[in-house]
Amino acid sequence: MAHPEIAAEQAHIDRAHLLLDEARERAQKLRGMVEVGRGGTTQARYERDAIEGSVQNRLGQLQLGSASLIFGRIDLDSDDRFYIGRLAVSDERQEPVVVDWRAPVAEPFYRATGRDPMGLIRRRHFVSRGRELLDIEDELFDLDQLDEGFQGHGALLAALDQNRDGQLRDIVATIQGEQDEIIRDPLKGMLIVQGGPGTGKTVVALHRAAYLLYTHRFPLEGQGVLVVGPNRLFLRYIEQVLPSLGEAGVYLTVLADLLKDLFEDVRVTLPDNQGSAAVKGSERMVSVIGHAIKDRERALRDDLTVGFGLTRLRITVNQSREIVREARRRYRRHNAARRYVEKEFFAALAKSHNSEPDPENVQYRLRRNPRVIEALEWMWPVLTPAQLLRDLYGSEALLASAARNDLLEQEWIALSRQRGESLTDYRWSDADVPLLDEAYAGLGPRLDRDRKARDPELRTFGHIVVDETQDHTPMALRMIARRSLNGSMTLVGDIAQATAPGAAANWDQVLNYLPSRTKEPRVRELTLSYRIPAPNLELANKVLALAAPDLATPKAVRSVGTPPRVIRVEQERMSSDHDLVQRSVALVEEESDALGGGSVAVIAPQSLIDRIDSALQARGIDYGRATTASRNVSGPLHPKIALMPVQLVKGLELDGTVVIEPATMLEEEPQGLRALYVALTRSTKRLAIIHERELPAVLRN
């Protein structure tokens, strides 16, 4: 039976959309306020650009796409009533027709319980499709009703049951109390959000970014909010969440893109080798890079004598050593000291003759002398991070010197590479990115003759959100810390899903490399898994008990669901690989049909990806393949079937998953049990496991 107030509420929704359309039209009309013809003044052009920027920003805030504007209503015991929506809408008298979900008055919509109704007598949830209201769910509050269940249970389950389409959706209509507390946590200091699979930690962090921008528009709009993701596939997966919440100005990035803001010619396309990646991620590389820079600050090997007209000028090894020592003492960054080294170099040459010619004249006349240029480049070259690291990787002598007692011989040898390519063609891996940034912090920008920087300085942000924090290496965390303006950060992750080489064992290890402030970090834990059905989570928690026994297991909100399927492929002589791959492809089709158009992730060990890829193509299946994190991702996750290695699936959610050959996954991944745990916890509905080798014992019990 339809709710008796659907028609009245639909009328309110229609009115709100009409007012929103009028607000868009007013924003568009602002563009005509300032017109600049040919010969217009600089002031007029500045005003035009300022208005255009404001209009674009306002229009971005008013865009909803296909999302519903209003998703709820609260009735207070003071007889006030507020409709809660994605953004604020007012009528002609500036009376609120819709209240922004981030406003303080909207907080009871997410927090009120029977024990603490927060002044509510009713909370109403709307189930909508775009502008169309489909259903209404009411919760009534009184002293006798002490239900502590999930708020908006019907609306929550309806949202969870929807098919995924390869893009993460906002949860603004179904935010739960524990999630809302995190979203509205104060701006200052460090907030750590520990949450197991399906607890919504990623989407909560994005809603927090939107909330902070709304609440602290000044100064955050000028300072900027940065969201750091683990790879570009993940960024494409989450990219629509913030625009759907009216915030399009947040900077979504991976670490490699932060580096490209400094150096456009750095090509991060080289696949990482696990051995060298582990070394590059170690905190010991701070000393190695520091030593590598100092190794390029050297005294002359022999005294230098050069002709100056009819005389000869001379600088000794000891004089050059003193210049280098003093330059190190005076300057924190290498490149900034080059002008000082040049000045003292030519002053020493001038003092070597009885007539003591003017040092500036000596410098002017000898600045193009090949022997002088060679001497200065030996003593104190101006370097880019790419030059420093390419030279370091390409010389075992430089590596051995820089490593000193910080790296074992086999470790620094693992960093060795051929130096043959030109600098513009040189390829870097993801693990190199934090090292290039560390080198830039030590080298500083190159300066021109007027001491102006030829390279940009690092950009800092007023707040930084880091997702999958547990997988960032110490060097990557140092890189992120340098972007923090004031130590305000939200760190999101799950220690149980730490799968990278040398990943942190606890949050204290993570905090060692981030900005230190007097205020203690605040730790919030999400314990309820909204996304994963209980049968799937029960199986995954068996793996968790071995992978991270000290962590509490998440609890499933949905107690029912299709039990996981486990399919054994019997080994056939001479063709076992073929049979496994072909049966896996057939299973993918079965699961896709069972989901009725929902999304399916095909999660396989890296060694099987190419063969499964070929089999899917041969079968004529419409699917997409997610590339490794070191390559560019050209598009979003395929909305139906996505083939990917386990390294890329973290953070994603899909309707179904097909996990292929868990035993091989355990062997190939540096943190095999945790990688398997990640693979088993991506599905919101169906999970299938197919194997030919013996199933790991933890999955047989």
Side-chain angles (χ1 to χ4, degrees):
M1 183 180 296
H3 195 286
E5 295 185 36
I6 278 190
E9 298 291 31
Q10 182 68 64
H12 187 90
I13 292 172
D14 292 340
R15 179 171 178 248
H17 275 281
L18 178 62
L19 292 168
L20 181 62
D21 292 339
E22 291 174 355
R24 290 195 192 99
E25 291 176 5
R26 289 194 297 272
Q28 290 282 10
K29 288 179 181 178
L30 287 174
R31 284 180 166 151
M33 290 180 59
V34 178
E35 294 184 359
V36 181
R38 297 181 65 180
T41 65
T42 301
Q43 176 67 21
R45 288 192 294 272
Y46 174 81
E47 291 176 357
R48 177 200 61 196
D49 293 342
I51 290 176
E52 179 65 22
S54 298
V55 170
Q56 290 291 352
N57 185 52
R58 180 59 177 158
L59 287 173
Q61 294 172 348
L62 296 176
Q63 293 303 317
L64 289 176
S66 60
S68 302
L69 171 59
I70 302 176
F71 47 78
R73 190 186 94 184
I74 52 176
D75 299 350
L76 280 68
D77 53 16
S78 61
D79 294 332
D80 288 325
R81 174 184 296 175
F82 297 99
Y83 287 85
I84 313 300
R86 279 179 166 76
L87 49 86
V89 177
S90 301
D91 62 15
E92 300 82 0
R93 297 174 296 172
Q94 297 305 305
E95 292 294 327
V97 175
V98 185
V99 172
D100 193 296
W101 67 276
R102 296 165 288 188
V105 73
E107 189 173 342
F109 182 77
Y110 301 109
R111 298 273 192 93
T113 65
R115 295 186 184 278
D116 182 13
M118 300 179 70
L120 296 191
I121 59 174
R122 183 200 309 269
R123 174 167 52 207
R124 173 166 288 180
H125 299 267
F126 295 155
V127 179
S128 305
R129 184 187 298 114
R131 299 189 180 198
E132 181 185 2
L133 179 61
L134 303 177
D135 199 4
I136 291 174
E137 178 186 355
D138 281 335
E139 294 175 88
L140 301 178
F141 295 84
D142 58 53
L143 293 178
D144 298 323
Q145 184 177 335
L146 301 180
D147 181 15
E148 292 291 350
F150 311 112
Q151 64 97 346
H153 193 265
L156 174 63
L157 292 182
L160 292 173
D161 284 339
Q162 291 180 7
N163 282 345
R164 270 63 184 165
D165 59 1
Q167 293 265 262
L168 184 64
R169 301 191 186 101
D170 66 63
I171 59 167
V172 65
T174 57
I175 292 171
Q176 301 299 299
E178 66 169 4
Q179 297 172 328
D180 190 65
E181 289 182 18
I182 293 169
I183 291 169
R184 297 176 191 267
D185 198 85
L187 169 66
K188 291 185 178 179
M190 194 89 63
L191 175 65
I192 297 171
V193 183
Q194 161 68 38
T199 55
K201 55 187 177 296
T202 293
V203 75
V204 164
L206 295 173
H207 283 66
R208 172 165 168 76
Y211 168 78
L212 291 176
L213 269 169
Y214 173 87
T215 308
H216 304 277
R217 186 70 63 184
F218 177 82
L220 281 185
E221 193 166 54
Q223 295 173 346
V225 174
L226 175 70
V227 175
V228 180
N231 53 64
R232 290 191 181 89
L233 177 66
F234 181 83
L235 294 187
R236 295 303 303 267
Y237 175 64
I238 69 172
E239 65 183 356
Q240 294 303 318
V241 173
L242 286 164
S244 74
L245 299 174
E247 297 295 347
V250 177
Y251 190 22
L252 303 178
T253 187
V254 293
L255 294 185
D257 289 339
L258 286 176
L259 198 67
K260 287 182 179 178
D261 291 343
L262 297 173
F263 315 107
E264 294 181 357
D265 58 347
V266 171
R267 301 169 59 229
V268 185
T269 59
L270 186 69
D272 270 321
N273 171 277
Q274 287 187 1
S276 63
V279 177
K280 292 174 182 177
S282 169
E283 185 188 15
R284 294 172 294 163
M285 290 302 296
V286 176
S287 296
V288 172
I289 290 175
H291 294 151
I293 294 173
K294 285 190 174 181
D295 285 343
R296 305 300 292 274
E297 302 166 352
R298 304 165 287 197
L300 294 174
R301 290 169 289 189
D302 301 297
D303 294 352
L304 174 68
T305 303
V306 292
F308 185 75
L310 299 178
T311 65
R312 298 185 70 77
L313 305 181
R314 184 168 177 262
I315 181 172
T316 67
V317 170
N318 286 337
Q319 286 175 313
S320 69
R321 183 177 294 111
E322 179 60 24
I323 292 171
V324 168
R325 188 194 67 80
E326 188 64 16
R328 285 177 177 171
R329 188 185 70 82
R330 290 179 177 229
Y331 293 88
R332 184 175 62 88
R333 299 201 288 186
H334 172 89
N335 287 336
R338 170 62 183 246
R339 289 291 300 276
Y340 171 83
V341 171
E342 291 179 359
K343 179 172 174 284
E344 294 301 310
F345 179 91
F346 289 110
L349 285 175
K351 288 180 181 178
S352 69
H353 195 267
N354 293 335
S355 64
E356 292 196 17
D358 182 6
E360 291 187 4
N361 185 39
V362 172
Q363 181 172 357
Y364 179 77
R365 292 176 58 181
L366 295 180
R367 69 187 187 281
R368 292 190 175 89
N369 184 296
R371 296 186 64 207
V372 168
I373 294 173
E374 181 183 0
L376 286 171
E377 286 301 301
W378 172 265
M379 285 179 62
W380 204 280
V382 174
L383 295 167
T384 66
Q387 289 170 332
L388 178 78
L389 285 188
R390 187 186 67 152
D391 291 347
L392 180 66
Y393 293 163
S395 168
E396 288 195 1
L398 288 177
L399 274 171
S401 176
R404 300 185 189 179
N405 297 322
D406 295 302
L407 299 180
L408 300 174
E409 182 176 357
Q410 61 266 31
E411 289 180 316
W412 61 256
I413 288 177
L415 303 180
S416 179
R417 282 182 61 187
Q418 292 293 328
R419 191 180 178 276
E421 305 110 312
S422 67
L423 203 56
T424 55
D425 294 331
Y426 200 81
R427 297 198 303 156
W428 305 93
S429 72
D430 285 329
D432 288 319
V433 169
L435 303 190
L436 289 163
D437 196 71
E438 188 77 32
Y440 191 67
L443 293 171
R446 294 167 296 172
L447 305 178
D448 61 20
R449 303 306 300 178
D450 297 323
R451 298 193 61 78
K452 294 181 180 178
R454 293 163 52 192
D455 304 314
E457 289 286 358
L458 298 179
R459 181 185 172 183
T460 56
F461 295 83
H463 189 78
I464 299 177
V465 176
V466 186
D467 207 346
E468 304 296 346
T469 311
Q470 76 282 348
D471 271 340
H472 283 295
T473 65
M475 297 305 295
L477 292 171
R478 286 176 58 86
M479 178 177 179
I480 294 168
R482 278 189 283 271
R483 269 71 183 176
S484 177
L485 178 64
N486 49 25
S488 176
M489 303 177 77
T490 300
L491 310 179
V492 181
D494 179 14
I495 295 298
Q497 297 184 60
T499 59
N506 53 59
W507 284 105
D508 287 338
Q509 291 183 8
V510 173
L511 291 172
N512 286 338
Y513 309 107
L514 291 171
S516 176
R517 298 293 186 268
T518 55
K519 193 172 182 180
E520 282 293 316
R522 307 179 302 280
V523 180
R524 303 286 186 268
E525 188 168 4
L526 292 168
T527 58
L528 296 175
S529 180
Y530 300 96
R531 172 171 51 81
I532 305 173
N536 292 3
L537 192 60
E538 182 181 351
L539 179 64
N541 282 342
K542 293 179 180 179
V543 180
L544 175 62
L546 291 179
D550 296 334
L551 290 180
T553 57
K555 299 176 182 179
V557 168
R558 295 188 289 169
S559 59
V560 297
T562 304
R565 297 177 64 191
V566 180
I567 296 96
R568 175 71 181 265
V569 178
E570 296 299 330
Q571 292 185 357
E572 296 286 345
R573 186 180 301 176
M574 304 294 293
S575 60
S576 58
D577 284 347
H578 175 78
D579 289 343
L580 173 65
V581 170
Q582 293 304 320
R583 184 65 185 91
S584 297
V585 170
L587 180 60
V588 170
E589 290 185 301
E590 292 173 20
E591 289 297 303
S592 181
D593 291 342
L595 287 165
S599 58
V600 178
V602 186
I603 308 172
Q606 187 68 54
S607 60
L608 292 176
I609 287 288
D610 288 340
R611 280 175 280 172
I612 296 170
D613 190 12
S614 299
L616 287 167
Q617 289 186 47
R619 195 80 165 240
I621 295 174
D622 181 21
Y623 77 104
R625 175 174 173 176
T627 58
T628 57
S630 60
R631 303 173 189 166
N632 290 328
V633 177
S634 58
L637 198 66
H638 193 279
K640 298 299 181 184
I641 298 173
L643 170 64
M644 64 187 72
V646 68
Q647 304 100 310
L648 286 187
V649 76
K650 193 178 299 180
L652 308 182
E653 63 178 47
L654 302 102
D655 296 305
T657 52
V658 175
V659 179
I660 301 173
E661 204 60 275
T664 304
M665 202 173 288
L666 289 181
E667 291 176 354
E668 292 185 359
E669 294 302 313
Q671 306 253 9
L673 279 171
R674 293 183 176 187
L676 179 58
Y677 178 64
V678 170
L680 296 176
T681 53
R682 298 305 97 202
S683 168
T684 65
K685 296 177 182 177
R686 296 177 63 88
L687 167 63
I689 302 170
I690 184 168
H691 65 104
E692 183 178 64
R693 301 176 59 189
E694 188 70 28
L695 202 63
V698 67
L699 299 181
R700 298 197 304 267
N701 297 335

Coordinates of all heavy atoms in Angstrom, one line a residue, residues 12 15 19 22 26 89-97:
H12 N 6.5 18.7 -3.0 CA 7.6 19.5 -2.4 C 8.9 19.3 -3.1 O 9.7 20.2 -3.4 CB 7.8 19.1 -0.9 CG 8.8 19.9 -0.2 ND1 8.4 21.1 0.5 CD2 10.1 19.8 0.0 CE1 9.5 21.6 1.0 NE2 10.6 20.9 0.7
R15 N 8.8 21.3 -6.4 CA 9.0 22.7 -6.1 C 10.5 22.9 -5.9 O 11.1 23.9 -6.4 CB 8.2 23.1 -4.9 CG 8.4 24.6 -4.5 CD 7.4 25.1 -3.5 NE 7.7 26.5 -3.1 CZ 8.1 26.9 -1.9 NH1 8.3 26.0 -1.0 NH2 8.3 28.2 -1.7
L19 N 13.0 25.5 -8.0 CA 13.8 26.5 -7.5 C 15.3 26.3 -7.8 O 16.0 27.3 -8.0 CB 13.6 26.6 -6.0 CG 12.2 27.0 -5.5 CD1 12.0 26.8 -4.0 CD2 12.0 28.5 -5.8
E22 N 15.9 27.5 -11.3 CA 15.9 29.0 -11.3 C 17.3 29.5 -10.8 O 17.8 30.5 -11.3 CB 14.8 29.5 -10.5 CG 13.4 29.3 -11.1 CD 12.3 29.7 -10.2 OE1 12.6 30.1 -9.0 OE2 11.1 29.7 -10.6
R26 N 19.9 31.9 -12.8 CA 20.5 33.2 -12.3 C 22.0 33.2 -12.4 O 22.7 34.2 -12.7 CB 20.0 33.4 -10.8 CG 18.6 33.7 -10.7 CD 18.3 34.3 -9.3 NE 18.5 33.3 -8.3 CZ 17.6 32.4 -7.9 NH1 16.4 32.4 -8.4 NH2 17.9 31.5 -6.9
V89 N 18.6 24.7 -0.9 CA 17.8 25.4 -1.8 C 16.8 26.3 -1.0 O 16.2 25.8 0.0 CB 16.9 24.4 -2.7 CG1 16.0 25.2 -3.6 CG2 17.9 23.5 -3.5
S90 N 16.7 27.5 -1.4 CA 15.8 28.5 -0.7 C 14.8 29.0 -1.7 O 14.9 29.0 -2.9 CB 16.6 29.7 -0.2 OG 17.6 29.2 0.7
D91 N 13.7 29.5 -1.1 CA 12.6 30.1 -1.9 C 12.8 31.6 -2.2 O 13.9 32.1 -1.8 CB 11.2 29.8 -1.3 CG 11.1 30.5 0.1 OD1 11.9 31.4 0.4 OD2 10.1 30.1 0.8
E92 N 11.8 32.3 -2.7 CA 12.0 33.7 -3.0 C 12.2 34.6 -1.8 O 12.8 35.6 -1.9 CB 10.7 34.2 -3.8 CG 10.4 33.5 -5.1 CD 9.7 32.1 -4.8 OE1 9.4 31.8 -3.6 OE2 9.4 31.4 -5.8
R93 N 11.8 34.1 -0.6 CA 12.0 34.9 0.6 C 13.2 34.4 1.4 O 13.4 34.7 2.6 CB 10.7 34.8 1.5 CG 9.5 35.4 0.8 CD 8.3 35.1 1.7 NE 8.0 33.7 1.7 CZ 7.1 33.1 2.5 NH1 6.3 33.9 3.3 NH2 6.9 31.8 2.5
Q94 N 14.0 33.6 0.7 CA 15.2 33.0 1.3 C 14.9 32.1 2.5 O 15.7 31.9 3.4 CB 16.2 34.1 1.8 CG 16.7 35.0 0.7 CD 17.4 34.1 -0.4 OE1 18.3 33.4 -0.2 NE2 16.9 34.3 -1.7
E95 N 13.7 31.5 2.5 CA 13.4 30.5 3.5 C 13.9 29.1 3.0 O 13.7 28.8 1.8 CB 11.8 30.4 3.7 CG 11.3 31.7 4.4 CD 11.8 31.8 5.8 OE1 12.0 30.8 6.4 OE2 12.0 33.0 6.2
P96 N 14.4 28.3 3.8 CA 15.0 27.0 3.4 C 13.9 26.0 2.9 O 13.0 25.7 3.6 CB 15.7 26.5 4.6 CG 15.0 27.1 5.8 CD 14.6 28.5 5.3
V97 N 14.0 25.6 1.7 CA 13.2 24.5 1.1 C 13.9 23.2 1.3 O 13.3 22.2 1.5 CB 12.9 24.8 -0.4 CG1 12.1 23.7 -1.0 CG2 12.1 26.1 -0.5

